[in-house]
């Protein structure tokens, strides 16, 4: 039995309605309990800001795509190097670090749970191997279905039950957590050198539209009672004028679940552009947030960009080709048979580029114009918009108008005319930030009842204690203290153990991987469906029996079983 007593903590725990109370937290065997014995280890939090462990609901840290980003950037491997120190392995890389680099830096910032944004089922083993080597965070993987042939066949037949059955079989085979749609239909079209430019256009050879894929998958997701909703990267990412596609997409989302959103729209900054060319691009954050503010069934995340060099990587192959044509930089393009694809290119976001400055402003506008912080979560689509180590700066910008004004003064011309950022007075508070970095994520991902995102009795004891005294720091003026404070926790506690202290990892980690085993009625089991088996053996280059990820790849798998539907 291990016991820990955290005393004098200034707790913000939005899911339990606690906002800045000084309290003690008792922990036994990794969970929060009412009280502990007098033999418990004691940490004095000294009235510092104490939050549930951070949760990143959309990041790219593991799998073939991320690893290819590492291959493509030997120059980055020379950056961010740290030597072996105590329990810490050597790390390297800045925007695509090694798995240990990712894990240590997230842990130093108080993050204890991560969702990998895009796992191709066929390549799932690699993702799980890297999860095992990301020791200080619990992991889960959104599973790509945007160009899945069996899904598109079922969608064309307007068969929600069959669609659900294919999803259930594939999630189990890949040990995946939820449904990810990246440029639905467009990634499949890209296999034929094409893309889709509207949600009612037809996918070549499949006679289904992105709108049909999205709405059928939403219904299948809810039929299966998956913990998370459909997680969507909309069509037309990164194109001037694309906000109309985004709004059209939001308009077809039904409100189907009283406990959480029905659609999670990711990196919406990249989908909120007005104008028609790069010369007249403008912010449509006001239009996007007006839609979000009236639709409780949608949650989005920011997709904030920050200035500097990074690597973009996405299953959206055609988008990366367009970006390559713009930058003429090195580029990788990858097809995953029958499922999806990907593209990777390095980029540098520059304050000298008016387009980049507008993108930077849009992410912040989205967060400041969304009324309910549970509907706009903080992330950068790491590493696409910026490496996650920039999160503290984003928090600083959201909490301080003065900081934003100082930054705006250093930007290329055009930001003031083509965005509303400079006119926004709103400054988020500590509670808003706690929602946007943990409570909101836990709710959106459906992991609150797995003990994540809050500090209630029975919750997993994932806790971040920051060296910030909220009673003496004024974030609007002293934003540098805020940024510094969120860069390194005093203590990060993972499942009841102090794993990092003042930025250093002090123990070997042992994470868990959450995956969903969705139950379907006997007559819908794909492993018994002769047509599914026939097409699988006909078109895949792997045998159906070799496809599922073996349990040995998940040494600490946590299976979440859903209720069977009728
Ligand atoms: Zn992403």
């Amino acid at each position: 039995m291990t016991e820990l007593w955290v005393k004098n903590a200034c707790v913000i725990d939005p899911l339990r309605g606690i906002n800045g109370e000084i309290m003690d937290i008792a922990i036994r065997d990794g969970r929060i309990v009412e009280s502990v014995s007098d033999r418990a280890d004691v940490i004095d939090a000294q009235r510092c800001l104490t939050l549930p462990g951070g949760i990143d609901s959309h990041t790219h840290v593991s799998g073939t795509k991320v690893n290819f980003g590492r291959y493509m950037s030997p120059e980055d491997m020379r950056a961010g190097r740290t030597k072996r120190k105590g329990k810490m392995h050597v790390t390297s890389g800045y925007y695509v670090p090694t798995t240990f680099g990712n894990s240590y830096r997230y842990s130093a910032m108080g993050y204890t749970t991560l969702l990998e944004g895009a796992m191709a089922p066929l390549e799932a083993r690699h993702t799980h191997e890297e999860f095992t080597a990301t020791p200080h965070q619990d992991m889960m993987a959104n599973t790509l279905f945007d160009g899945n042939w069996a899904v598109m066949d079922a969608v064309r037949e307007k068969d929600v039950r069959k669609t659900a059955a294919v999803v259930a079989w594939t999630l189990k085979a890949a040990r995946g957590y939820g449904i990810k749609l990246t440029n639905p239909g467009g990634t499949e079209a890209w296999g034929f050198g094409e893309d889709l430019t509207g949600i009612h256009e037809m996918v070549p050879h499949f006679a289904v539209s992105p709108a049909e894929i999205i709405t059928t998958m939403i219904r299948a997701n809810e039929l299966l009672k998956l913990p998370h909703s459909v997680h969507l990267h909309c069509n037309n990412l990164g194109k001037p004028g694309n906000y109309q596609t985004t709004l059209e997409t939001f308009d077809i989302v039904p409100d189907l679940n009283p406990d959480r959103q029905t659609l999670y729209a990711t990196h919406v900054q990249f989908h909120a552009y007005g104008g028609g060319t790069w010369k007249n691009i403008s912010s449509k954050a006001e239009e996007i947030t007006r839609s979000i503010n009236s639709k409780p069934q949608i949650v989005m995340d920011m997709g904030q960009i920050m200035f500097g060099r990074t690597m973009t990587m996405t299953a959206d192959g055609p988008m990366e080709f367009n970006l390559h044509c713009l930058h003429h930089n090195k580029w990788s393009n990858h097809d995953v048979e029958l499922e999806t694809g990907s593209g990777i290119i390095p980029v540098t976001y520059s304050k000298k580029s008016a387009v980049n400055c507008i993108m930077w402003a849009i992410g912040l506008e989205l967060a400041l114009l969304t009324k309910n912080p549970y509907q706009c979560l903080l992330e950068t689509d790491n590493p696409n918009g910026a490496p996650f180590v920039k999160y503290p700066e984003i928090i600083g910008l959201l909490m301080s108008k003065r900081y934003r004004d100082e930054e705006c003064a250093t930007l290329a011309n055009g930001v003031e005319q083509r965005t509303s950022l400079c006119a926004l007075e709103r400054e988020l508070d500590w509670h808003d930030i706690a929602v946007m970095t943990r409570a909101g994520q836990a709710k959106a991902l459906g992991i609150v009842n797995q003990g994540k995102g809050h500090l209630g009795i029975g919750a997993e004891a994932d806790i971040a204690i920051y060296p910030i005294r909220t009673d003496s720091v004024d974030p609007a003026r002293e934003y540098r203290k805020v940024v510094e404070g969120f860069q390194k926790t005093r203590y990060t506690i993972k499942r009841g153990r102090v794993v990092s202290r003042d930025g250093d990892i002090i123990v070997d980690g042992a994470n868990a991987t959450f995956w969903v085993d969705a139950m379907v009625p006997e007559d819908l089991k794909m492993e018994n469906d002769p047509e599914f088996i026939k097409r699988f053996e006909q078109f895949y280059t792997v045998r159906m029996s070799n496809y599922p990820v073996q349990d040995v790849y998940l040494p600490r798998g946590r299976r979440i079983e859903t209720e069977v539907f009728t």
Side-chain angles (χ1 to χ4, degrees):
M1 186 171 80
T2 58
E3 292 186 318
L4 183 64
W5 176 246
V6 180
K7 63 176 192 181
N8 280 325
C10 174
V11 174
I12 301 181
D13 183 356
L15 287 170
R16 290 195 307 142
I18 294 170
N19 189 5
E21 263 178 56
I22 304 298
M23 52 199 288
D24 302 338
I25 305 167
I27 299 162
R28 183 179 308 119
D29 294 335
R31 298 226 167 228
I32 294 177
V33 292
E34 291 280 1
S35 60
V36 283
S37 69
D38 50 14
R39 292 184 300 280
D41 291 333
V42 178
I43 286 176
D44 185 351
Q46 297 176 328
R47 301 169 86 87
C48 284
L49 176 64
T50 301
L51 303 176
I55 301 172
D56 198 334
S57 52
H58 189 109
T59 180
H60 300 279
V61 287
S62 301
T64 47
K65 175 164 44 58
V66 176
N67 209 36
F68 210 81
R70 296 184 187 116
Y71 286 145
M72 275 175 69
S73 47
E75 69 281 6
D76 187 57
M77 284 295 110
R78 286 191 284 272
R81 277 189 183 174
T82 56
K83 288 186 179 162
R84 191 173 183 100
K85 181 178 173 189
K87 294 281 182 189
M88 294 167 80
H89 291 239
V90 168
T91 75
S92 67
Y94 170 63
Y95 45 80
V96 269
T98 55
T99 56
F100 287 99
N102 277 322
S103 189
Y104 298 163
R105 292 171 210 174
Y106 262 120
S107 189
M109 285 166 40
Y111 276 72
T112 50
T113 304
L114 308 176
L115 175 118
E116 162 58 46
M119 173 173 78
L122 186 59
E123 297 172 349
R125 285 180 183 81
H126 190 138
T127 305
H128 289 294
E129 284 178 319
E130 293 202 7
F131 280 2
T132 309
T134 309
H136 295 285
Q137 286 79 26
D138 290 333
M139 306 296 289
M140 55 196 96
N142 261 349
T143 308
L144 290 159
F145 285 98
D146 36 67
N148 186 296
W149 288 15
V151 162
M152 287 193 290
D153 286 340
V155 170
R156 187 178 56 247
E157 290 157 19
K158 303 194 188 314
D159 192 338
V160 176
R161 288 163 55 83
K162 178 84 169 281
T163 308
V166 173
V167 168
W169 184 84
T170 311
L171 278 184
K172 181 171 188 182
R175 298 294 194 255
Y177 184 74
I179 296 174
K180 174 74 182 292
L181 301 175
T182 294
N183 184 4
T187 54
E188 176 59 24
W190 179 236
F192 301 92
E194 295 170 39
D195 191 5
L196 302 179
T197 55
I199 62 168
H200 300 294
E201 245 174 70
M202 289 294 162
V203 183
H205 312 289
F206 280 90
V208 293
S209 65
E212 289 166 326
I213 298 174
I214 294 165
T215 51
T216 311
M217 285 296 257
I218 285 176
R219 291 188 187 282
N221 192 102
E222 299 312 312
L223 191 62
L224 287 169
K225 304 181 186 76
L226 300 184
H228 188 31
S229 68
V230 164
H231 193 116
L232 176 69
H233 154 145
C234 289
N235 300 85
N236 281 332
L237 181 144
K239 294 181 193 162
N242 64 5
Y243 81 105
Q244 275 166 326
T245 304
T246 311
L247 291 179
E248 262 182 76
T249 307
F250 289 177
D251 283 341
I252 60 171
V253 178
D255 189 357
L256 297 179
N257 193 316
D259 297 325
R260 57 149 169 76
Q261 77 286 352
T262 344
L263 183 81
Y264 182 108
T266 192
H267 42 63
V268 173
Q269 176 276 128
F270 292 109
H271 302 273
Y273 303 157
T277 67
W278 292 113
K279 287 208 160 56
N280 67 5
I281 185 175
S282 62
S283 167
K284 290 291 175 183
E286 284 183 23
E287 285 77 355
I288 295 286
T289 48
R290 198 175 304 131
S291 174
I292 290 279
N293 287 336
S294 70
K295 293 186 178 67
Q297 67 268 39
I298 302 177
V299 165
M300 64 174 166
D301 62 42
M302 293 166 74
Q304 180 64 32
I305 73 149
M306 295 295 276
F307 299 106
R309 195 172 157 81
T310 192
M311 182 67 85
T312 66
M313 49 179 66
T314 168
D316 195 342
M319 190 287 291
E320 289 285 24
F321 175 67
N322 293 337
L323 207 56
H324 165 67
C325 294
L326 211 62
H327 291 272
H328 305 289
N329 209 332
K330 52 191 171 185
W331 164 55
S332 128
N333 179 59
H334 178 57
D335 179 55
V336 183
E337 56 187 49
L338 279 73
E339 294 179 351
T340 183
S342 73
I344 306 170
I345 80 159
V347 295
T348 302
Y349 298 114
S350 164
K351 286 186 175 179
K352 291 184 186 144
S353 154
V355 171
N356 292 165
C357 295
I358 291 165
M359 292 165 76
W360 173 84
I362 292 173
L364 298 172
E365 282 180 283
L366 289 174
L368 295 167
L369 290 167
T370 301
K371 289 185 184 146
N372 178 358
Y374 280 94
Q375 283 184 276
C376 185
L377 308 178
L378 190 153
E379 54 76 79
T380 59
D381 190 18
N382 166 70
N384 286 292
F388 62 84
V389 291
K390 297 276 191 182
Y391 290 0
E393 286 174 52
I394 300 171
I395 293 172
L397 288 162
L398 293 174
M399 296 187 85
S400 169
K401 161 93 170 131
R402 182 189 288 195
Y403 187 14
R404 296 198 293 271
D405 287 345
E406 284 176 20
E407 280 295 291
C408 282
T410 67
L411 303 184
N413 288 335
V415 173
E416 208 154 335
Q417 297 78 38
R418 289 193 261 163
T419 81
S420 65
L421 183 68
C422 307
L424 296 179
E425 299 287 335
R426 186 173 176 200
E427 292 175 327
L428 300 189
D429 62 20
W430 305 107
H431 186 272
D432 294 328
I433 297 300
V435 171
M436 292 177 71
T437 56
R438 44 268 288 165
Q441 276 81 355
K443 191 161 175 260
L445 294 175
I447 52 175
V448 175
N449 61 8
Q450 298 293 326
K452 298 293 188 189
H454 65 98
L455 302 174
I457 302 298
E460 300 224 315
D462 296 351
I463 303 169
I465 305 173
Y466 295 96
I468 298 174
R469 286 283 300 263
T470 58
D471 53 357
S472 63
V473 173
D474 172 7
R477 273 187 316 111
E478 299 169 286
Y479 57 83
R480 291 202 192 284
K481 283 190 185 166
V482 174
V483 174
E484 257 172 50
F486 278 108
Q487 279 168 343
K488 265 184 207 174
T489 59
R490 192 152 281 165
Y491 298 93
T492 301
I493 298 169
K494 175 88 195 102
R495 227 169 253 130
R497 269 199 320 169
V498 176
V499 292
S500 93
R501 194 168 174 184
D502 299 323
D504 282 343
I505 296 293
I506 56 172
V507 294
D508 293 320
N511 64 352
T513 297
F514 291 83
W515 65 278
V516 174
D517 194 357
M519 297 289 115
V520 300
E522 207 53 43
D523 64 310
L524 276 176
K525 290 201 164 150
M526 284 295 113
E527 59 269 40
N528 304 328
D529 183 310
E531 190 57 29
F532 183 76
I533 296 168
K534 191 176 126 209
R535 283 177 68 81
F536 198 107
E537 299 292 354
Q538 190 177 0
F539 293 118
Y540 269 107
T541 56
V542 293
R543 277 282 155 82
M544 196 164 153
S545 56
N546 290 332
Y547 185 87
V549 173
Q550 292 87 344
D551 283 330
V552 68
Y553 284 86
L554 284 84
R556 289 173 296 275
R558 282 250 298 251
R559 174 174 165 273
I560 299 171
E561 187 180 306
T562 66
E563 245 173 78
V564 65
F565 64 86
T566 47

